[in-house]
Amino acid sequence: MEKQKYSRRFFLSTSAMAATLAFIPVGVKAFYNNVKKLVIPLKEKMAIKLSINKAKYNLTVDTRTTLLDLVREQLDLTGTKKGCDHGQCGACTVHVNGQRVLSCLTLAATVQGKEVTTIEGLSQGSELHPMQQAFIECDGFQCGYCTPGQIMSAVGCVNEGHTHSVEEIKEFMSGNLCRCGAYNGIVQSIQKVAK
Amino acid sequence: MRPFTLQKPTTIGQAVSGKKESAQFLAGGTNLLDLMKKHISQPDRLLDINSVLSEKIESTAGGIRIGANVRNSAAAANELILSKFPLVSHAILKGASPQIRNMASMAGNLLQRTRCPYFYDTSLPCNKRKAGSGCGALKGETRMAAIVGHNPQCVAVHPSDLCIALSALDARVIINGKDNKETSIPFKDFHKLPGTNPEKDNNLPANAIITAIEIPSNPFNKNCSYLKLRDRESYAFALVSVAAALQLNGNRIVEARLASGGVAHKPWRWYEAEKFLKGKTADLSNFKQAAEIIARETHPLNGNEFKVPMLKGAIEVALQNCLTA
Ligand SMILES: Cc1cc2nc3c(=O)[nH]c(=O)nc-3n(C[C@H](O)[C@H](O)[C@H](O)COP(=O)(O)OP(=O)(O)OC[C@H]3O[C@@H](n4cnc5c(N)ncnc54)[C@H](O)[C@@H]3O)c2cc1C
Ligand code: FES
Ligand code: FES
């Protein structure tokens, strides 16, 4: 039988060690941090300048930060949703230079010099964008989780002119999944705006 | 994701000289970032090549040159491509979603990794992800796996749609190597079979960069079609796909091109069937015989035998669709 890795004695000795660690002088901690740096790669930070919903931001971000995490976690623009984080659901759809893209597969640092629009930037003040109004009128959602992504994608779909038939709308909206199955209302909303 | 530095070279020379094994080029990021999030790819440096490579589609003496940075959606909607090489547009539009096609570059599409579930699950064996760990799919879940050109090392398939059209049209991949000199690789030799090193998908030399794709002029713009069969109507990878193109003289086939996706480790050309169709009448009975020839070439795995009749049907329909295209 394999020897058990974690015994009671192991626990006692490691917790005792942890307790002593709390009291050891700062110099030793600094040494420990140096060793840690050698073993665990440090996060890389980068200064970036972005324009989101026409507002300018000067930020310092971890290079790994996706546009999705940046707007949600650092800029409090939580309208854009994280569904899968792997490009499979469309919940995170935003516009970059007017084109619909997935913010979960976009590094924040790569949209410098471009104009980003999230769902928060679609309305004109308190006046809803026609697509937002259409979603309300046509029951384009149930729980609403996929809705910001659907609306951003729908605006793209209309701008690209892929609205000649129900089939074409469905095909060109296939990158946005809706677990509630509000698809009929979504297609109707798009038809309404495309007219 | 593992931490990495992000650099933005401004010339092709800078991009290739900054490239080493542990670095990766970043184009649209639609495949690379996904793999980095899953710790399948762990570069310590990303070279953002978006302002380095061409975004132009130009007509050349011998055909067309598509810059490596052209977005998939831009290529699919391009007038020159639609009039002279519509097969390319048809194939692109069957891939991914509008958002992803807006992001995906031409070069990135060629270099996307397989969608084999064993490649994606880091707790399972996969020779392509971890050389020498074994092939989990071989005796496992084979629904998405190969039916031709595979070996016990790897049964994964190449997931691209665009590449199937490029293979049918004998494209060339234009690259700059470490020495920053331009060379090219014929499409049929670009992707490789698993061999003994399935961790390599293609024959792109280490650290080289793709700068463009060229397609020679051809007579296939009138009669071509792309058919993709998958688990749902849209936004899914192919179980099998067929790119078909015919050059007709009346109802006689002067030349035929047939290639498939979802069947092999690389975009697969059906040369025997093409040879058979040459000079024949373009009718269903000949199309059925071509499909038979193709079926005989396949070696399905335990569990994906269904792909063979599916492929036969797809070949027949794709060829018929060429006549009404
Ligand atoms: C949910 C989903 C569904 C999809 N469905 C389909 C589908 O049905 N059909 C299909 O064909 N595709 C599909 N795709 C894949 C998509 O087409 C690819 O991810 C895309 O084409 C990759 O292009 P990119 O520019 O984003 O590449 P990146 O992710 O930026 O790069 C991919 C690889 O190529 C390398 N690279 C990029 N450019 C160059 C260059 N110029 N020279 C050398 N190396 C380079 C990168 O270093 C990286 O290793 C799907 C993707 C997702 C996320
Ligand atoms: S969160 Fe981006 S596609 Fe699902
Ligand atoms: S409205 Fe609930 S997921 Fe679409």
CSV table of all heavy atoms in Angstrom, one decimal, chain A residues 86-88 105, chain B residues 24-32 49 53 68 72 94-96 100 103-105 107-109 111-112 115 159-162 204 208-210 228 235-237, ligand 1:
chain,number,residue,atom,x,y,z
A,86,HIS,N,-14.5,31.7,-23.2
A,86,HIS,CA,-13.8,30.9,-24.3
A,86,HIS,C,-14.3,31.1,-25.7
A,86,HIS,O,-14.1,30.3,-26.5
A,86,HIS,CB,-13.7,29.4,-23.9
A,86,HIS,CG,-12.8,29.1,-22.7
A,86,HIS,ND1,-11.5,29.1,-22.8
A,86,HIS,CD2,-13.2,28.9,-21.4
A,86,HIS,CE1,-11.0,28.9,-21.6
A,86,HIS,NE2,-12.0,28.8,-20.7
A,87,GLY,N,-15.0,32.2,-25.9
A,87,GLY,CA,-15.4,32.4,-27.3
A,87,GLY,C,-16.6,31.6,-27.8
A,87,GLY,O,-16.9,31.6,-29.0
A,88,GLN,N,-17.3,31.0,-26.9
A,88,GLN,CA,-18.3,30.1,-27.4
A,88,GLN,C,-19.8,30.5,-27.2
A,88,GLN,O,-20.7,29.9,-27.7
A,88,GLN,CB,-18.2,28.7,-26.6
A,88,GLN,CG,-16.8,28.1,-27.0
A,88,GLN,CD,-16.6,26.8,-26.3
A,88,GLN,OE1,-17.4,26.4,-25.4
A,88,GLN,NE2,-15.5,26.1,-26.6
A,105,LEU,N,-11.9,37.2,-25.7
A,105,LEU,CA,-10.7,36.7,-26.4
A,105,LEU,C,-9.9,37.9,-26.9
A,105,LEU,O,-9.1,37.7,-27.9
A,105,LEU,CB,-11.1,35.8,-27.5
A,105,LEU,CG,-11.7,34.4,-27.1
A,105,LEU,CD1,-12.0,33.6,-28.3
A,105,LEU,CD2,-10.8,33.7,-26.1
B,24,GLN,N,5.1,33.6,-28.8
B,24,GLN,CA,4.0,33.3,-29.8
B,24,GLN,C,3.6,34.6,-30.4
B,24,GLN,O,3.6,35.7,-29.8
B,24,GLN,CB,2.8,32.8,-29.1
B,24,GLN,CG,2.9,31.3,-28.6
B,24,GLN,CD,2.6,30.3,-29.7
B,24,GLN,OE1,2.4,30.7,-30.9
B,24,GLN,NE2,2.8,29.0,-29.4
B,25,PHE,N,3.3,34.5,-31.7
B,25,PHE,CA,2.7,35.7,-32.4
B,25,PHE,C,1.3,35.8,-32.0
B,25,PHE,O,0.6,34.8,-31.8
B,25,PHE,CB,2.8,35.5,-33.9
B,25,PHE,CG,4.2,35.5,-34.5
B,25,PHE,CD1,4.6,34.5,-35.3
B,25,PHE,CD2,5.1,36.6,-34.2
B,25,PHE,CE1,5.9,34.5,-35.8
B,25,PHE,CE2,6.3,36.6,-34.7
B,25,PHE,CZ,6.8,35.5,-35.5
B,26,LEU,N,0.8,37.0,-31.8
B,26,LEU,CA,-0.6,37.2,-31.5
B,26,LEU,C,-1.3,37.9,-32.7
B,26,LEU,O,-1.0,39.0,-33.0
B,26,LEU,CB,-0.8,38.0,-30.2
B,26,LEU,CG,-2.2,38.4,-29.8
B,26,LEU,CD1,-3.0,37.2,-29.3
B,26,LEU,CD2,-2.2,39.5,-28.8
B,27,ALA,N,-2.3,37.2,-33.3
B,27,ALA,CA,-3.0,37.9,-34.4
B,27,ALA,C,-4.4,38.2,-33.8
B,27,ALA,O,-4.5,39.1,-33.0
B,27,ALA,CB,-3.1,37.0,-35.6
B,28,GLY,N,-5.5,37.5,-34.2
B,28,GLY,CA,-6.8,37.8,-33.6
B,28,GLY,C,-6.9,37.3,-32.2
B,28,GLY,O,-7.8,37.8,-31.4
B,29,GLY,N,-6.1,36.3,-31.8
B,29,GLY,CA,-6.1,35.8,-30.5
B,29,GLY,C,-7.3,34.8,-30.2
B,29,GLY,O,-7.4,34.3,-29.1
B,30,THR,N,-8.1,34.5,-31.2
B,30,THR,CA,-9.3,33.7,-30.9
B,30,THR,C,-8.9,32.3,-30.6
B,30,THR,O,-9.7,31.6,-29.9
B,30,THR,CB,-10.3,33.7,-32.1
B,30,THR,OG1,-9.6,33.2,-33.3
B,30,THR,CG2,-10.8,35.1,-32.4
B,31,ASN,N,-7.8,31.8,-31.1
B,31,ASN,CA,-7.4,30.5,-30.7
B,31,ASN,C,-6.3,30.5,-29.6
B,31,ASN,O,-6.4,29.8,-28.6
B,31,ASN,CB,-6.9,29.7,-31.9
B,31,ASN,CG,-6.7,28.2,-31.6
B,31,ASN,OD1,-5.7,27.6,-32.1
B,31,ASN,ND2,-7.6,27.6,-30.9
B,32,LEU,N,-5.4,31.4,-29.8
B,32,LEU,CA,-4.2,31.5,-28.8
B,32,LEU,C,-4.7,31.8,-27.4
B,32,LEU,O,-4.2,31.1,-26.4
B,32,LEU,CB,-3.2,32.5,-29.3
B,32,LEU,CG,-1.9,32.6,-28.5
B,32,LEU,CD1,-1.2,31.2,-28.4
B,32,LEU,CD2,-1.0,33.6,-29.1
B,49,ILE,N,1.3,41.1,-33.7
B,49,ILE,CA,1.7,41.3,-35.1
B,49,ILE,C,0.7,42.0,-35.9
B,49,ILE,O,0.7,42.1,-37.2
B,49,ILE,CB,2.2,40.0,-35.8
B,49,ILE,CG1,1.1,39.0,-35.7
B,49,ILE,CG2,3.5,39.5,-35.3
B,49,ILE,CD1,1.3,37.7,-36.5
B,53,LEU,N,1.6,43.0,-40.4
B,53,LEU,CA,1.3,42.2,-41.7
B,53,LEU,C,0.3,42.9,-42.5
B,53,LEU,O,-0.6,43.7,-42.0
B,53,LEU,CB,0.9,40.8,-41.3
B,53,LEU,CG,2.0,40.0,-40.5
B,53,LEU,CD1,1.4,38.8,-40.0
B,53,LEU,CD2,3.2,39.7,-41.5
B,68,ALA,N,-1.7,38.3,-44.7
B,68,ALA,CA,-1.9,37.4,-43.6
B,68,ALA,C,-2.9,38.0,-42.5
B,68,ALA,O,-3.6,37.2,-41.8
B,68,ALA,CB,-0.6,37.1,-42.9
B,72,ASN,N,-11.0,37.2,-41.5
B,72,ASN,CA,-11.9,36.2,-42.2
B,72,ASN,C,-13.1,36.9,-42.7
B,72,ASN,O,-13.5,36.6,-43.9
B,72,ASN,CB,-12.2,35.1,-41.2
B,72,ASN,CG,-11.1,34.1,-40.9
B,72,ASN,OD1,-11.2,33.1,-40.3
B,72,ASN,ND2,-9.9,34.5,-41.4
B,94,LYS,N,-18.9,29.4,-43.3
B,94,LYS,CA,-19.4,28.2,-42.6
B,94,LYS,C,-18.7,28.0,-41.3
B,94,LYS,O,-19.0,27.1,-40.5
B,94,LYS,CB,-19.3,26.9,-43.4
B,94,LYS,CG,-20.3,26.9,-44.6
B,94,LYS,CD,-21.7,26.6,-44.2
B,94,LYS,CE,-22.6,26.7,-45.4
B,94,LYS,NZ,-24.0,26.8,-45.0
B,95,GLY,N,-17.7,28.8,-41.1
B,95,GLY,CA,-16.8,28.7,-39.9
B,95,GLY,C,-17.1,29.6,-38.8
B,95,GLY,O,-17.5,30.8,-39.0
B,96,ALA,N,-17.0,29.2,-37.5
B,96,ALA,CA,-17.1,30.0,-36.3
B,96,ALA,C,-18.3,30.9,-36.3
B,96,ALA,O,-19.4,30.5,-36.8
B,96,ALA,CB,-15.8,30.9,-36.2
B,100,ILE,N,-16.3,36.1,-34.2
B,100,ILE,CA,-14.9,35.4,-34.4
B,100,ILE,C,-14.3,35.7,-35.7
B,100,ILE,O,-13.2,36.0,-35.9
B,100,ILE,CB,-15.0,33.9,-34.1
B,100,ILE,CG1,-15.4,33.7,-32.6
B,100,ILE,CG2,-13.7,33.2,-34.4
B,100,ILE,CD1,-15.8,32.3,-32.2
B,103,MET,N,-12.6,38.9,-36.0
B,103,MET,CA,-11.3,38.9,-35.2
B,103,MET,C,-10.2,38.1,-35.9
B,103,MET,O,-9.1,38.5,-35.9
B,103,MET,CB,-11.5,38.4,-33.8
B,103,MET,CG,-12.6,39.1,-33.0
B,103,MET,SD,-13.0,38.2,-31.5
B,103,MET,CE,-11.5,38.6,-30.5
B,104,ALA,N,-10.6,36.9,-36.4
B,104,ALA,CA,-9.7,35.9,-36.9
B,104,ALA,C,-8.9,36.4,-38.2
B,104,ALA,O,-9.5,36.9,-39.1
B,104,ALA,CB,-10.4,34.6,-37.2
B,105,SER,N,-7.6,36.2,-38.1
B,105,SER,CA,-6.8,36.5,-39.3
B,105,SER,C,-6.7,35.3,-40.2
B,105,SER,O,-7.0,34.2,-39.8
B,105,SER,CB,-5.4,36.9,-38.8
B,105,SER,OG,-4.8,35.8,-38.3
B,107,ALA,N,-3.8,34.0,-41.5
B,107,ALA,CA,-2.7,33.2,-41.0
B,107,ALA,C,-3.2,32.4,-39.8
B,107,ALA,O,-2.9,31.2,-39.7
B,107,ALA,CB,-1.5,34.0,-40.7
B,108,GLY,N,-3.8,33.1,-38.8
B,108,GLY,CA,-4.2,32.4,-37.6
B,108,GLY,C,-5.2,31.2,-37.9
B,108,GLY,O,-5.1,30.2,-37.2
B,109,ASN,N,-6.0,31.4,-38.9
B,109,ASN,CA,-6.9,30.3,-39.2
B,109,ASN,C,-6.2,29.1,-39.7
B,109,ASN,O,-6.5,27.9,-39.3
B,109,ASN,CB,-7.9,30.8,-40.3
B,109,ASN,CG,-9.1,29.8,-40.5
B,109,ASN,OD1,-8.9,28.6,-40.7
B,109,ASN,ND2,-10.3,30.4,-40.5
B,111,LEU,N,-3.3,28.2,-38.7
B,111,LEU,CA,-2.5,27.7,-37.6
B,111,LEU,C,-3.3,27.3,-36.4
B,111,LEU,O,-2.7,27.0,-35.3
B,111,LEU,CB,-1.4,28.7,-37.2
B,111,LEU,CG,-0.4,28.9,-38.3
B,111,LEU,CD1,0.5,30.1,-38.0
B,111,LEU,CD2,0.4,27.7,-38.6
B,112,GLN,N,-4.6,27.4,-36.4
B,112,GLN,CA,-5.4,27.0,-35.3
B,112,GLN,C,-5.2,25.5,-35.0
B,112,GLN,O,-5.0,24.7,-35.8
B,112,GLN,CB,-6.9,27.3,-35.6
B,112,GLN,CG,-7.5,26.5,-36.7
B,112,GLN,CD,-9.0,26.7,-36.9
B,112,GLN,OE1,-9.8,26.4,-36.0
B,112,GLN,NE2,-9.4,27.3,-38.0
B,115,ARG,N,-9.5,20.6,-32.4
B,115,ARG,CA,-10.5,20.7,-31.4
B,115,ARG,C,-10.8,19.3,-30.7
B,115,ARG,O,-11.8,19.1,-30.1
B,115,ARG,CB,-11.8,21.2,-32.0
B,115,ARG,CG,-11.7,22.7,-32.5
B,115,ARG,CD,-11.8,23.6,-31.3
B,115,ARG,NE,-11.3,24.9,-31.6
B,115,ARG,CZ,-11.5,26.0,-30.8
B,115,ARG,NH1,-12.3,25.9,-29.7
B,115,ARG,NH2,-11.0,27.2,-31.1
B,159,PRO,N,-9.3,21.5,-37.7
B,159,PRO,CA,-10.6,22.0,-37.6
B,159,PRO,C,-11.0,23.1,-38.6
B,159,PRO,O,-12.2,23.5,-38.6
B,159,PRO,CB,-10.7,22.6,-36.2
B,159,PRO,CG,-9.3,23.1,-36.0
B,159,PRO,CD,-8.4,22.2,-36.8
B,160,SER,N,-10.1,23.6,-39.5
B,160,SER,CA,-10.5,24.8,-40.3
B,160,SER,C,-11.4,24.5,-41.4
B,160,SER,O,-11.3,23.4,-42.1
B,160,SER,CB,-9.2,25.4,-40.8
B,160,SER,OG,-9.5,26.3,-41.8
B,161,ASP,N,-12.2,25.4,-41.8
B,161,ASP,CA,-13.0,25.4,-43.0
B,161,ASP,C,-12.3,26.1,-44.1
B,161,ASP,O,-12.2,25.5,-45.2
B,161,ASP,CB,-14.4,26.0,-42.8
B,161,ASP,CG,-15.3,25.2,-41.8
B,161,ASP,OD1,-15.6,24.1,-42.1
B,161,ASP,OD2,-15.5,25.7,-40.7
B,162,LEU,N,-11.8,27.3,-43.9
B,162,LEU,CA,-11.1,28.0,-44.9
B,162,LEU,C,-10.0,27.2,-45.6
B,162,LEU,O,-9.9,27.2,-46.8
B,162,LEU,CB,-10.4,29.2,-44.2
B,162,LEU,CG,-9.3,29.9,-45.0
B,162,LEU,CD1,-9.9,30.6,-46.2
B,162,LEU,CD2,-8.6,30.9,-44.1
B,204,LEU,N,5.5,24.6,-41.1
B,204,LEU,CA,6.1,26.0,-41.0
B,204,LEU,C,7.4,25.9,-40.2
B,204,LEU,O,7.4,25.4,-39.1
B,204,LEU,CB,5.0,26.8,-40.2
B,204,LEU,CG,5.4,28.3,-40.1
B,204,LEU,CD1,5.3,29.0,-41.5
B,204,LEU,CD2,4.4,29.0,-39.1
B,208,ALA,N,9.2,31.0,-38.1
B,208,ALA,CA,8.8,31.7,-39.3
B,208,ALA,C,7.5,32.4,-39.1
B,208,ALA,O,6.7,32.0,-38.3
B,208,ALA,CB,8.8,30.8,-40.5
B,209,ILE,N,7.2,33.4,-40.0
B,209,ILE,CA,5.9,34.1,-39.9
B,209,ILE,C,5.2,34.0,-41.3
B,209,ILE,O,5.9,34.0,-42.3
B,209,ILE,CB,6.2,35.6,-39.6
B,209,ILE,CG1,4.9,36.3,-39.2
B,209,ILE,CG2,6.9,36.4,-40.7
B,209,ILE,CD1,5.1,37.7,-38.5
B,210,ILE,N,3.9,33.8,-41.2
B,210,ILE,CA,3.2,33.8,-42.5
B,210,ILE,C,2.8,35.2,-42.9
B,210,ILE,O,2.4,36.0,-42.0
B,210,ILE,CB,1.8,33.0,-42.3
B,210,ILE,CG1,2.1,31.5,-41.9
B,210,ILE,CG2,1.0,33.1,-43.6
B,210,ILE,CD1,0.9,30.7,-41.7
B,228,LYS,N,-21.0,21.6,-45.2
B,228,LYS,CA,-20.4,21.3,-43.9
B,228,LYS,C,-21.5,20.6,-43.1
B,228,LYS,O,-22.6,21.2,-42.9
B,228,LYS,CB,-20.0,22.6,-43.2
B,228,LYS,CG,-19.4,22.4,-41.9
B,228,LYS,CD,-18.9,23.7,-41.3
B,228,LYS,CE,-18.2,23.6,-39.9
B,228,LYS,NZ,-17.8,24.9,-39.3
B,235,TYR,N,-22.3,27.5,-36.2
B,235,TYR,CA,-21.4,27.7,-35.0
B,235,TYR,C,-21.0,26.4,-34.4
B,235,TYR,O,-21.1,26.2,-33.2
B,235,TYR,CB,-22.2,28.6,-34.0
B,235,TYR,CG,-21.3,29.3,-33.0
B,235,TYR,CD1,-20.0,29.5,-33.2
B,235,TYR,CD2,-22.0,29.9,-31.9
B,235,TYR,CE1,-19.3,30.2,-32.2
B,235,TYR,CE2,-21.2,30.6,-30.9
B,235,TYR,CZ,-19.9,30.8,-31.1
B,235,TYR,OH,-19.2,31.5,-30.2
B,236,ALA,N,-20.5,25.4,-35.2
B,236,ALA,CA,-20.0,24.2,-34.7
B,236,ALA,C,-19.0,23.7,-35.7
B,236,ALA,O,-19.0,24.0,-36.9
B,236,ALA,CB,-21.1,23.2,-34.5
B,237,PHE,N,-18.0,22.9,-35.2
B,237,PHE,CA,-17.0,22.4,-36.0
B,237,PHE,C,-17.5,21.2,-36.9
B,237,PHE,O,-18.5,20.6,-36.5
B,237,PHE,CB,-15.8,22.0,-35.2
B,237,PHE,CG,-15.0,23.1,-34.7
B,237,PHE,CD1,-15.3,23.6,-33.4
B,237,PHE,CD2,-14.1,23.8,-35.4
B,237,PHE,CE1,-14.6,24.7,-32.9
B,237,PHE,CE2,-13.4,24.9,-34.9
B,237,PHE,CZ,-13.7,25.3,-33.7
C,1,LIG,C1,-16.0,29.0,-30.5
C,1,LIG,C2,-15.2,28.9,-31.7
C,1,LIG,C3,-15.7,28.3,-32.9
C,1,LIG,C4,-14.9,28.2,-34.0
C,1,LIG,N1,-15.4,27.6,-35.1
C,1,LIG,C5,-14.6,27.5,-36.2
C,1,LIG,C6,-15.1,26.8,-37.4
C,1,LIG,O1,-16.2,26.3,-37.4
C,1,LIG,N2,-14.3,26.7,-38.5
C,1,LIG,C7,-13.1,27.3,-38.5
C,1,LIG,O2,-12.4,27.2,-39.5
C,1,LIG,N3,-12.6,27.9,-37.4
C,1,LIG,C8,-13.3,28.0,-36.3
C,1,LIG,N4,-12.8,28.6,-35.2
C,1,LIG,C9,-11.4,28.9,-35.1
C,1,LIG,C10,-11.1,30.3,-35.6
C,1,LIG,O3,-11.3,30.3,-37.0
C,1,LIG,C11,-9.6,30.5,-35.3
C,1,LIG,O4,-9.5,30.6,-33.9
C,1,LIG,C12,-9.0,31.7,-36.0
C,1,LIG,O5,-9.1,31.6,-37.4
C,1,LIG,C13,-7.6,31.9,-35.6
C,1,LIG,O6,-7.1,33.2,-36.1
C,1,LIG,P1,-6.5,34.3,-35.1
C,1,LIG,O7,-6.1,35.4,-36.0
C,1,LIG,O8,-7.5,34.6,-34.0
C,1,LIG,O9,-5.3,33.5,-34.5
C,1,LIG,P2,-4.5,33.6,-33.1
C,1,LIG,O10,-5.3,32.9,-32.1
C,1,LIG,O11,-4.1,35.0,-32.9
C,1,LIG,O12,-3.3,32.7,-33.5
C,1,LIG,C14,-3.4,31.3,-33.7
C,1,LIG,C15,-1.9,30.7,-33.9
C,1,LIG,O13,-1.4,31.2,-35.1
C,1,LIG,C16,-0.1,31.8,-34.8
C,1,LIG,N5,0.0,32.9,-35.8
C,1,LIG,C17,-1.0,33.9,-36.0
C,1,LIG,N6,-0.6,34.6,-37.1
C,1,LIG,C18,0.5,34.2,-37.5
C,1,LIG,C19,1.4,34.5,-38.6
C,1,LIG,N7,1.1,35.5,-39.4
C,1,LIG,N8,2.6,33.8,-38.7
C,1,LIG,C20,2.9,32.8,-37.9
C,1,LIG,N9,2.1,32.4,-36.9
C,1,LIG,C21,0.9,33.1,-36.7
C,1,LIG,C22,-0.2,32.3,-33.4
C,1,LIG,O14,1.0,32.4,-32.8
C,1,LIG,C23,-1.0,31.2,-32.7
C,1,LIG,O15,-0.2,30.1,-32.4
C,1,LIG,C24,-13.6,28.7,-34.0
C,1,LIG,C25,-13.1,29.4,-32.9
C,1,LIG,C26,-13.8,29.5,-31.7
C,1,LIG,C27,-13.3,30.2,-30.5
